[in-house]
Amino acid sequence: MAENIESHLVEKRVFKPAKGFVKGARVKSLEQYRRMYRESITRPDKFWAREAGELVWERRWKSVLKWKVPFAQWFAGGKLNVSVNCLDRHLGGPTRNKAAILWEGEPGDKRALTFQQLHRDVCRFANVLKRNKIRKGDRVIIYLPTIPEAAIAMLACTRIGAVHSVVFGGFSADSIRDRIADCGAVAVITADGGYRRGAIVPLKKNVDDALHGGTSIKRVIVFRRAGNDIHIEEGRDVWWHRELEYVDAHCPAVAVDSEHPLYILYTSGSTGKPKGILHTTGGYLVGIYSTMKYVFDLRDEDVYWCTADIGWVTGHSYVVYGPLANGTTTLMYEGAPNWPEPDRFWRIIEEYGVNILYTAPTAIRAFIRWGDQWLKKHDLSSLRLLGSVGEPINPEAWMWYRDKVGGGRCPIVDTWWQTETGAIMITPLPGAIPTKPGSATLPFFGVDAAVVDEKGNEVSANVGGRLIIRQPWPSMLRSIYGDKERYKKQYWSEFKGRYLTGDGARRDKDGYFWIVGRIDDVLNVAGHRLGTSEIESALVSHPSVAEAAVVGRPDELKGQSVVAFVTVKGSVTVSTSLKTELREHVGIHIGAIAKPDEIRFAEALPKTRSGKIMRRLLKEVASGKTVTGDTTTLEDLSVLAKLSAEE
Ligand code: WTA
């Protein structure tokens, strides 16, 4: 990467945890945090054994960590079951009748499920899976809206040791098909449709299209959610509610090895093909249990709301597994934040008395734009803690979040992590670590994070570099599904034995981390990861396109927007309708979130003499800057002049 990683942000404001908050907090001072952190780094065995000991194991582990770079085994020899830890574990006392899930659908329908009820539903659905010949180790695609059944399906898989792979409901049929092929899934769990801004998303139809022509899928289980007409393929498709008629609520949990695969979640990388990030059982559960407890400083009576969709890692770790493993009430909301009006979130907080809100900077920036009047209509005094995740939060958005949403009294935890890390890695602990707007502050327990230069040497304070992690941690990915070589190469080879995050960062003189964003060819659009080469592949698969280069452009609302430079084949004439067609084409291949915000037709793309597209130049052109920097390797300067003139 030739670009320098620069970070010009200078932020002087510091917010100490308020006395009232500190009093009830689990970690009460910077001193206590540092003591615990030191132990977690120097004696990880001891630290993590204590955390793991708070969970239920069918058989205790023999060793906390076996590390043969870059392959880790956490709690090897141990056996446990995730659904037991999320459900059965809480049935022995008063938590039994506490709400496990509070749910609101976009049209306004509501449900509450106690831990006991959720346990029953999970056991019954696990029996449905068994009835449909889904076995331990089988891969199951879950393509559902954010409804309780998504959590039920995930937990039911874990109950029998099946491996789920949740596909975000906004992804297209092609994306589903690719994922099925990559992991060799045997079943799909879906719904007839889901709601988005009042419209019905035809989920089952997308699944039908994905399965067209034959795949490894033998069974499709369909939940009736939206009541839209769908096709039922005899012999392949069954209705969720019908299947329930054949089963009872008794389903013994299968204790699996600590390293048994728990789930695969596909995410974008710097190549054209999404990677199946593989998470396993014991370490992942310990990681999300522990981060959830300390970062959100949980109390028994909390109503906790993470606004993420179930299709992203945040939905896995902090909508479903983290809260339930801790016996915490998790609120789920199916729809858009501005449906039917821009006060939907505030309405929900008031109605359910939400205490902890965990959301994304892109949402916060949208709220700012929609105006404070929408918040003023609602009583938000139940909130006591706010969280942010998904991308860097700009200090002004942070201040607005603190003042307007948190009424100036709630600490903000800006949590940095990734699909690959499984759990939160860099974050304030709200009762212990003073916060600075825009900084994710300090590493969580057991996380040995550092900022290094191109040679892997740690840089000094306030110098930008690459963010790496120097020691394994319990919830880390174990591999890219079916591709150990790619796993090694992508994450562990640039600096041998160190995990490369792909992010740029700097540390200030207090050791606080300031994340700049991705330094590889991955975009972060509205908190969603998109690989530039994935979008390029989609564009090039269109018959009119010769070449395509996709870059990100800074965007006030979405963080980044997608700009595509496209050259067409000789006989093709460019037009606005071709632009529309190309956007639709990307929508079909990947999903609506990947559609370019802008398409620019060009006669040629700027390339180095060795034929590499010079993205840095395109980025500058896309953001309307005059091209500075080094152009000495550019093959043809006139290309650049033409691109800039396109404005
Ligand atoms: C970015 C989402 C700054 C980062 C959990 C990372 C952040 C990518 C933050 C992972 C944060 C996430 N501050 N940047 N608090 N949280 N990121 O896999 O670039 O969807 O590498 O996981 O989001 O995105 P992913």
Side-chain angles (χ1 to χ4, degrees):
M1 193 84 21
E3 287 163 69
N4 293 325
I5 302 153
E6 286 177 41
S7 148
H8 298 295
L9 203 64
V10 181
E11 176 58 57
K12 296 229 163 64
R13 289 169 285 204
V14 179
F15 295 89
K16 292 214 173 96
K19 281 210 179 76
F21 194 96
V22 173
K23 218 157 75 201
R26 286 168 192 265
V27 183
K28 294 184 198 302
S29 65
L30 200 51
E31 220 287 301
Q32 188 188 353
Y33 156 76
R34 291 205 194 280
R35 210 168 42 236
M36 292 174 75
Y37 180 74
R38 210 171 308 126
E39 184 201 30
S40 75
I41 295 296
T42 55
R43 301 281 323 269
D45 288 32
K46 193 169 163 212
F47 184 90
W48 290 116
R50 202 169 50 230
E51 290 298 313
E54 292 179 15
L55 296 170
V56 175
W57 296 77
E58 163 107 358
R59 194 172 75 203
R60 200 180 154 91
W61 58 91
K62 291 209 173 66
S63 61
V64 171
L65 171 64
K66 286 188 181 167
W67 178 228
K68 232 182 119 203
V69 180
F71 299 101
Q73 288 183 37
W74 283 90
F75 309 106
K79 273 183 179 283
L80 76 168
N81 180 280
V82 167
S83 76
V84 166
N85 278 286
C86 290
L87 300 168
D88 307 54
R89 187 165 100 80
H90 309 303
L91 300 184
T95 312
R96 178 170 60 212
N97 294 318
K98 169 178 174 177
I101 295 177
L102 294 171
W103 173 81
E104 196 167 296
E106 193 184 76
D109 38 348
K110 293 167 192 185
R111 279 161 68 191
L113 288 170
T114 64
F115 277 91
Q116 183 161 260
Q117 289 172 314
L118 183 60
H119 176 261
R120 182 183 152 81
D121 286 351
V122 167
C123 286
R124 292 176 77 207
F125 193 65
N127 282 333
V128 168
L129 295 180
K130 288 199 260 185
R131 213 181 101 73
N132 284 281
K133 305 213 165 46
I134 294 158
R135 306 273 177 254
K136 182 179 169 188
D138 284 348
R139 274 81 59 215
V140 176
I141 299 284
I142 298 178
Y143 185 64
L144 285 169
T146 298
I147 56 177
E149 281 65 28
I152 292 168
M154 290 160 80
L155 288 160
C157 286
T158 74
R159 192 143 192 104
I160 63 168
V163 183
H164 61 70
S165 184
V166 181
V167 178
F168 172 56
F171 280 129
S172 67
D174 283 5
S175 291
I176 305 170
R177 188 187 302 122
D178 291 348
R179 285 155 175 75
I180 291 170
D182 189 78
C183 71
V186 299
V188 178
I189 303 170
T190 188
D192 49 2
Y195 294 96
R196 196 67 188 174
R197 293 206 171 81
I200 292 176
V201 183
L203 297 172
K204 175 60 166 63
K205 164 90 173 43
N206 291 347
V207 170
D208 290 343
D209 292 348
L211 302 187
H212 189 75
T215 62
S216 51
I217 298 297
K218 300 203 172 59
R219 188 62 84 226
V220 178
I221 305 175
V222 189
F223 181 75
R224 183 140 68 202
R225 164 73 188 121
N228 49 321
D229 277 340
I230 58 160
H231 164 74
I232 289 283
E233 180 95 11
E234 285 304 325
R236 185 193 73 188
D237 304 351
V238 294
W239 282 105
W240 179 306
H241 61 274
R242 290 262 175 79
E243 287 298 295
L244 285 181
E245 289 170 15
Y246 301 101
V247 296
D248 62 19
H250 177 71
C251 181
V254 176
V256 298
D257 287 336
S258 181
E259 284 299 335
H260 183 71
L262 175 62
Y263 67 79
I264 301 163
L265 186 58
Y266 286 85
T267 190
S268 297
S270 41
T271 69
K273 201 173 140 228
K275 1 176 224 198
I277 302 302
L278 176 69
H279 283 291
T280 61
T281 307
Y284 174 80
L285 193 68
V286 171
I288 49 116
Y289 167 77
S290 184
T291 46
M292 182 82 207
K293 180 177 66 173
Y294 289 117
V295 175
F296 298 107
D297 202 39
L298 293 177
R299 311 203 179 147
D300 281 344
E301 64 277 19
D302 279 333
V303 174
Y304 159 89
W305 182 22
C306 167
T307 65
D309 189 281
I310 218 81
W312 309 113
V313 74
T314 311
H316 287 58
S317 297
Y318 298 107
V319 174
V320 179
Y321 294 123
L324 297 178
N326 278 280
T328 299
T329 301
T330 179
L331 193 142
M332 288 167 83
Y333 167 59
E334 179 190 28
N338 55 349
W339 186 267
E341 289 198 288
D343 67 342
R344 188 63 182 270
F345 274 25
W346 321 126
R347 196 176 279 281
I348 291 175
I349 289 169
E350 179 171 21
E351 179 167 341
Y352 295 87
V354 172
N355 307 110
I356 305 172
L357 175 68
Y358 190 29
T359 193
T362 185
I364 297 168
R365 291 191 298 264
F367 294 134
I368 296 174
R369 178 178 285 196
W370 294 331
D372 297 358
Q373 71 275 18
W374 296 106
L375 288 106
K376 288 194 186 125
K377 290 165 65 176
H378 299 281
D379 176 6
L380 305 180
S381 61
S382 59
L383 289 172
R384 67 174 187 83
L385 178 61
L386 304 173
S388 169
V389 59
E391 56 181 309
I393 177 165
N394 30 321
E396 291 325 308
W398 194 100
M399 288 304 300
W400 183 90
Y401 196 26
R402 182 190 147 85
D403 291 343
K404 298 292 172 20
V405 181
R409 66 179 188 281
C410 305
I412 296 179
V413 288
D414 172 5
T415 62
W416 177 88
W417 58 295
Q418 308 177 298
T419 305
E420 291 88 340
T421 69
I424 293 168
M425 301 289 275
I426 302 179
T427 177
L429 297 184
I433 300 179
T435 52
K436 303 182 189 182
S439 170
T441 75
L442 298 170
F444 187 73
F445 304 130
V447 176
D448 184 12
V451 180
V452 298
D453 64 17
E454 286 182 11
K455 295 203 179 77
N457 300 317
E458 209 164 345
V459 296
S460 31
N462 286 318
V463 176
R466 285 133 216 264
L467 179 65
I468 61 161
I469 315 289
R470 295 183 292 204
Q471 283 190 25
W473 64 101
S475 63
M476 63 191 274
L477 78 165
R478 297 303 194 267
S479 189
I480 292 174
Y481 188 78
D483 200 344
K484 283 189 176 160
E485 280 312 308
R486 189 172 170 202
Y487 165 71
K488 264 196 211 165
K489 195 162 162 255
Q490 175 101 50
Y491 301 108
W492 302 93
S493 63
E494 181 129 353
F495 308 114
K496 212 165 173 339
R498 310 266 142 124
Y499 171 82
L500 187 73
T501 64
D503 277 350
R506 73 178 164 92
R507 290 186 94 162
D508 66 19
K509 59 177 184 7
D510 299 323
Y512 277 39
F513 285 85
W514 297 79
I515 313 292
V516 182
R518 304 290 309 195
I519 50 173
D520 53 11
D521 293 329
V522 175
L523 305 182
N524 192 330
V525 178
H528 299 151
R529 267 170 75 166
L530 296 170
T532 50
S533 52
E534 243 175 278
I535 306 174
E536 286 163 5
S537 306
L539 285 167
V540 173
S541 73
H542 188 279
S544 302
V545 174
E547 259 192 326
V550 168
V551 295
R553 177 178 58 198
D555 183 280
E556 215 180 290
L557 212 55
K558 300 196 287 186
Q560 280 186 304
S561 60
V562 180
V563 180
F565 291 85
V566 172
T567 63
V568 291
K569 290 185 180 152
S571 55
V572 178
T573 39
V574 299
S575 62
T576 322
S577 70
L578 181 58
K579 280 189 187 175
T580 316
E581 204 181 312
L582 292 179
R583 293 187 75 244
E584 290 310 313
H585 186 75
V586 173
I588 290 164
H589 274 268
I590 305 175
I593 50 168
K595 286 184 185 174
D597 297 276
E598 188 185 337
I599 293 180
R600 289 200 187 191
F601 292 115
E603 276 176 36
L605 299 177
K607 290 188 185 162
T608 61
R609 285 176 201 131
S610 61
K612 272 188 85 172
I613 292 173
M614 296 184 79
R615 288 170 187 287
R616 179 176 57 79
L617 301 185
L618 290 175
K619 268 189 212 167
E620 289 175 1
V621 173
S623 43
K625 292 187 196 152
T626 41
V627 175
T628 53
D630 187 12
T631 53
T632 47
T633 53
L634 185 69
E635 194 198 31
D636 180 4
L637 266 173
S638 67
V639 167
L640 196 61
K642 278 192 195 133
L643 282 174
S644 306
E646 294 265 316
E647 277 300 314

